[in-house]
Amino acid sequence: MEDTFGDDDFFSDGDGEPITAQKVLQTLEEAWLNEKFCPDLLPSQADYVECMMEQIQQMEENVNKLKKNDFRVEVHHMELARIRYTITSYLRSRLEKIEKNTAYILEQEALRGPENSYLSEGELIFARDFLALQENHCKQLVLQHVPPPFQDFMPTQQSLVPNLRSHVFLRAKKDVDGVVIEGDRDSRDEEVDLEENSQHIMQYKPIANFVKDGTIQLI
Amino acid sequence: MFCEKSLKLIKELDRSQEAMPPFDDDGVRQVFEEMRGLYDQNVAAANDTTADPDGTAISGIAIRHAALERNKRCLLAYAYNRILRVRNMRWQFGPILPHDIKANFNEPEVQWFNNYNICVARYFKSIGAHGLDLTADVKPPKSLYVEVRSLTDYGKLELDNGEVVLLKKHSTHLMSRAQCEPLITQGVLEQISN
């Protein structure tokens, strides 16, 4: 793997701090797993995706320069196929969530404001188009034929909302203190501390923010 | 009972073995009629202020209203779940659907499919600098090459490395997965190993 990227491949993130291609891939893989297991939509890693895609292209060019019967070609091709799968699978699971919970996601996005956007630009356009598409379809097929008081299209009431209380498997990447687990009728709120590298099963909601800031990894 | 017909629509869609059962125009129309009937009754009852000594009219209106809401919900669920199937076909077969499947779409569904294609294509184009087709690389790669059998006389196919293979019916080949994946979904090739 280390061989696929040269050691001299450096990228710069927003703060001007150089990061290696290795790091980009690792971040993407973590984001991919999180997105896969998380009931809610997580902040987009579009910059990393773009960066990785450029990298793939460059690597493909490099690999093509190698001789055809060089055995390294196979290994590199396999690695590229894996990375490509990670990226497409990541973006697909995001898109599936957007399609399923369109109205909810757009609503949350509006509440967060443009600075804390979770959707990439393309995803936002897609979400809006998709909602309009659903509305148009419901109107054409159903709503225009029913009695007038029932003709409203109410996206936030009619669309699905992710179940934030569903359980997830997780691993703490650092020590996390004071995760508050809400009690129900019979029990009181409880605080738990998660040790570094410990694994747990719990509801997504109390740890949502730790997943977003990267201290907890879903597995 | 109210709402029986709308429930039947959903149940039948759920039970159907076909990829896409024909749109039940008749069933949907019957639900619309039921709704219209209920609504007219409610309007009449609400306007009739004279006779309601024991509050029965109010209860009647409430029940009919609930039935109307439920009917609406069932109809929307019916429409939505059909669309979900259409959507999955887009991801399975690509932007051009086989005719026998498309035959069971109704007009709004065809429109929806076309518009959805536009949305998806626009989104794919927006990813990265050159765009990315998310319908490719659907399965995690296990091996680079897969053994495939050709189901049709496809003709010549040029591989990424410049070699040309002739895909004849029943011939088997060892090809790179990335290259034959689209052909497998199109039904030109069939995977025979792993």
Side-chain angles (χ1 to χ4, degrees):
Chain A
M1 181 63 242
E2 281 75 16
D3 198 39
T4 312
F5 308 114
D7 283 337
D8 46 14
D9 288 321
F10 285 101
F11 298 92
S12 182
D13 63 7
D15 312 323
E17 211 178 292
I19 38 173
T20 59
Q22 197 74 73
K23 178 87 185 125
V24 175
L25 183 63
Q26 198 197 337
T27 315
L28 265 185
E29 278 175 356
E30 283 169 7
W32 169 54
L33 289 175
N34 277 343
E35 197 68 68
K36 229 176 149 106
F37 298 123
C38 176
D40 198 7
L41 190 76
L42 294 169
S44 162
Q45 306 287 352
D47 293 346
Y48 286 98
V49 170
E50 210 162 302
C51 181
M52 203 65 238
M53 280 171 68
E54 275 168 33
Q55 189 64 15
I56 289 182
Q57 217 186 352
Q58 211 179 323
M59 286 189 292
E60 264 168 357
E61 281 164 22
N62 288 345
V63 172
N64 284 339
K65 277 183 214 148
L66 290 172
K67 279 202 199 96
K68 218 192 266 175
N69 44 14
D70 191 332
F71 85 98
R72 284 180 299 174
V73 172
E74 303 290 292
V75 182
H76 285 311
H77 270 308
M78 190 67 197
E79 196 53 47
L80 284 172
R82 285 200 178 122
I83 298 173
R84 218 176 296 125
Y85 170 73
T86 311
I87 293 178
T88 52
S89 174
Y90 170 66
L91 293 173
R92 262 198 304 270
S93 52
R94 289 181 63 81
L95 208 63
E96 271 162 30
K97 286 183 201 175
I98 293 174
E99 286 184 357
K100 202 166 143 201
N101 309 322
T102 325
Y104 170 83
I105 286 173
L106 280 174
E107 198 185 37
Q108 295 291 315
E109 185 77 1
L111 289 178
R112 273 189 299 266
E115 305 90 55
N116 300 319
S117 162
Y118 279 14
L119 297 166
S120 73
E121 212 175 304
E123 284 167 344
L124 187 63
I125 295 173
F126 179 84
R128 288 194 181 131
D129 287 352
F130 190 75
L131 189 67
L133 207 59
Q134 295 303 54
E135 177 169 0
N136 184 30
H137 189 70
C138 287
K139 276 197 176 136
Q140 260 191 336
L141 217 51
V142 177
L143 297 175
Q144 62 171 340
H145 302 291
V146 302
F150 299 91
Q151 286 181 352
D152 290 338
F153 179 74
M154 292 175 288
T156 43
Q157 282 176 34
Q158 282 159 4
S159 88
L160 299 164
V161 169
N163 178 10
L164 300 182
R165 292 183 171 275
S166 61
H167 287 75
V168 288
F169 289 81
L170 58 100
R171 187 180 61 236
K173 284 157 76 181
K174 291 180 202 148
D175 282 334
V176 183
D177 293 335
V179 177
V180 181
I181 299 181
E182 277 176 47
D184 53 18
R185 206 157 35 84
D186 308 315
S187 57
R188 285 190 293 156
D189 284 8
E190 225 179 293
E191 255 188 44
V192 288
D193 298 338
L194 310 180
E195 260 176 61
E196 187 175 338
N197 275 329
S198 58
Q199 301 189 356
H200 308 267
I201 308 173
M202 59 168 86
Q203 288 188 359
Y204 171 70
K205 206 176 171 198
I207 52 137
N209 284 329
F210 298 109
V211 173
K212 283 169 194 166
D213 70 18
T215 38
I216 283 181
Q217 171 74 44
L218 301 184
I219 49 174
Chain B
M1 272 297 283
F2 300 145
C3 305
E4 256 174 13
K5 291 187 188 84
S6 52
L7 187 62
K8 200 174 127 218
L9 278 178
I10 296 176
K11 269 192 192 156
E12 271 171 14
L13 179 64
D14 193 41
R15 283 179 189 157
S16 70
Q17 299 291 316
E18 296 166 78
M20 193 66 179
F23 190 84
D24 190 353
D25 271 317
D26 201 43
V28 171
R29 200 177 34 79
Q30 285 179 13
V31 180
F32 287 147
E33 269 165 26
E34 184 186 307
M35 287 181 81
R36 221 163 290 136
L38 286 167
Y39 180 66
D40 290 344
Q41 280 179 358
N42 259 4
V43 171
N47 288 337
D48 182 10
T49 46
T50 50
D52 191 17
D54 47 3
T56 45
I58 295 285
S59 327
I61 289 175
I63 290 173
R64 281 189 291 265
H65 189 81
L68 280 161
E69 292 278 9
R70 187 173 166 80
N71 270 331
K72 172 182 170 182
R73 221 183 139 148
C74 289
L75 285 174
L76 288 176
Y78 181 67
Y80 176 71
N81 280 287
R82 283 182 63 88
I83 283 301
L84 273 191
R85 295 189 183 206
V86 176
R87 182 253 176 218
N88 291 340
M89 284 178 208
R90 165 65 182 83
W91 286 78
Q92 210 179 333
F93 300 113
I96 295 157
L97 287 184
H99 273 293
D100 51 331
I101 289 180
K102 224 171 174 175
N104 283 342
F105 287 13
N106 67 359
E107 186 50 34
E109 280 164 351
V110 174
Q111 270 178 34
W112 187 93
F113 180 77
N114 292 339
N115 288 327
Y116 182 68
N117 269 337
I118 297 171
C119 284
V120 168
R122 193 185 299 154
Y123 174 63
F124 287 175
K125 231 192 236 167
S126 75
I127 308 169
H130 310 283
L132 180 67
D133 180 6
L134 295 186
T135 56
D137 302 298
V138 179
K139 293 202 187 91
K142 288 223 166 55
S143 60
L144 265 185
Y145 294 94
V146 285
E147 222 175 308
V148 289
R149 179 185 293 128
S150 183
L151 297 173
T152 51
D153 283 313
Y154 184 77
K156 282 178 184 168
L157 177 75
E158 193 179 335
L159 300 181
D160 288 336
N161 56 14
E163 279 176 45
V164 177
V165 288
L166 184 64
L167 297 179
K168 266 169 64 180
K169 201 170 183 179
H170 304 312
S171 61
T172 59
H173 309 268
L174 192 66
M175 283 169 63
S176 84
R177 180 183 292 272
Q179 186 128 47
C180 57
E181 218 173 41
L183 292 172
I184 292 174
T185 42
Q186 281 171 35
V188 176
L189 297 175
E190 166 191 54
Q191 190 174 336
I192 42 183
S193 63
N194 57 60

